[in-house]
Amino acid sequence: MLQLRPGCECCDRDLPPDSTEARICSFECTFCAACADTKLHGICPNCGGELVARPRRPANLLATNPPSTQRVFKPAGYA
């Protein structure tokens, strides 16, 4: 199950579980669309994988399958 991390690793922008702006790689590294497109050019800086739109979990399943609360923020690595 996807972790649905709560924020962009690059700029720390909030990315709630229903966000259409979240992008992930196959390792679930998470970025906002702006950083993914402009700074990272669609490539994950951690693994080199493709960044794609993160699926949204249906609201009725969030109570039993909550998103992650752990933030990953590494701005120095994405300048």
Side-chain angles (χ1 to χ4, degrees):
M1 181 178 333
L2 290 176
Q3 291 179 351
L4 301 179
R5 294 178 186 166
C8 177
E9 292 184 25
C10 186
C11 71
D12 206 32
R13 176 181 173 186
D14 288 339
L15 294 169
D18 62 348
S19 177
T20 60
E21 296 297 310
R23 303 292 181 263
I24 61 171
C25 70
S26 64
F27 290 97
E28 297 185 56
C29 301
T30 304
F31 303 93
C32 69
C35 288
D37 295 342
T38 61
K39 292 181 180 180
L40 306 175
H41 307 289
I43 303 297
C44 178
N46 300 318
C47 69
E50 178 183 22
L51 293 172
V52 299
R54 180 180 72 188
R56 290 168 293 186
R57 188 165 298 150
N60 66 323
L61 297 178
L62 288 172
T64 55
N65 300 283
S68 175
T69 57
Q70 182 179 4
R71 293 184 89 86
V72 177
F73 184 46
K74 303 185 272 185
Y78 309 124

